[in-house]
Amino acid sequence: MKIDYRKACSTDVSIVYGFIKAIAQFECEPESVQTNEELITAQLRAEHSPFCDIVFVNDHPAGMAVCYFSYSTWTGKRRIHLEDLYTNPKYRRLGQAKGLIRRLCAIAQDTGCARMVWNVLFWNQPAIQLYEYIGAKPLSEWLGYRMSIDEIEAFLTD
């Protein structure tokens, strides 16, 4: 079995979009995907763009990791925020998710990052097991919050 990793490029946009839709399906929210191939292309070309690695198994797209750099005021250094990690169920348990994380860890080390952060749904036990296996620690003292654009607009007009 041949497993290859590489940075996504503009010709991979349909692959990335397909994985995004697959993640939404897995998380039981397929109707929540608002992006499209045009937006993904623009983001991958933007000055402060996210970056995406894709893994291929026997030349078939098998998974991806989408990340961006953020900043930690406490460490005074950048960190990598892992936005999405996905592997196609057909190719799971071959080590490619661990390989994608290893690539991100190397980027974090090479670029002087203090840490890497991400979120995981509390019910996604296979992912949690992988993260704990590689040495990641859950943040029990932090709660995640977010505001949709509708909530932002309502707040701004309040």
Side-chain angles (χ1 to χ4, degrees):
M1 183 153 312
K2 182 176 93 167
I3 299 176
D4 295 307
Y5 301 86
R6 68 172 167 78
K7 184 176 179 178
C9 60
S10 60
T11 60
D12 297 319
V13 168
S14 63
I15 294 170
V16 172
Y17 183 54
F19 286 149
I20 291 169
K21 292 190 302 186
I23 293 167
Q25 185 71 39
F26 174 76
E27 294 180 358
C28 303
E29 292 194 50
E31 68 286 346
S32 296
V33 175
Q34 298 176 17
T35 195
N36 57 48
E37 291 186 21
E38 184 178 316
L39 288 171
I40 294 166
T41 299
Q43 286 300 310
L44 290 176
R45 292 181 179 158
E47 183 179 346
H48 297 288
S49 66
F51 53 98
C52 177
D53 278 357
I54 299 177
V55 59
F56 294 84
V57 174
N58 293 331
D59 299 321
H60 297 285
M64 71 169 185
V66 178
C67 306
Y68 57 89
F69 289 105
S70 60
Y71 180 75
S72 168
T73 56
W74 287 18
T75 65
K77 295 182 177 184
R78 294 192 307 174
R79 61 184 169 208
I80 290 179
H81 180 98
L82 172 57
E83 181 65 22
D84 282 317
L85 176 68
Y86 177 78
T87 56
N88 183 320
K90 180 178 177 179
Y91 300 109
R92 287 188 183 151
R93 309 204 63 66
L94 300 175
Q96 73 274 20
K98 185 177 169 185
L100 284 164
I101 294 171
R102 187 178 303 282
R103 286 173 60 89
L104 299 177
C105 288
I107 292 169
Q109 186 178 51
D110 292 347
T111 59
C113 290
R115 59 178 72 126
M116 193 164 71
V117 297
W118 63 91
N119 298 307
V120 61
L121 291 167
F122 67 90
W123 53 261
N124 191 346
Q125 286 303 309
I128 292 169
Q129 289 173 344
L130 169 65
Y131 300 148
E132 291 179 356
Y133 174 78
I134 65 168
K137 307 286 187 271
L139 299 174
S140 59
E141 65 276 6
W142 295 88
L143 293 176
Y145 281 84
R146 71 175 172 193
M147 292 176 79
S148 70
I149 190 62
D150 294 335
E151 293 156 340
I152 290 168
E153 290 170 356
F155 174 71
L156 290 174
T157 58
D158 186 19

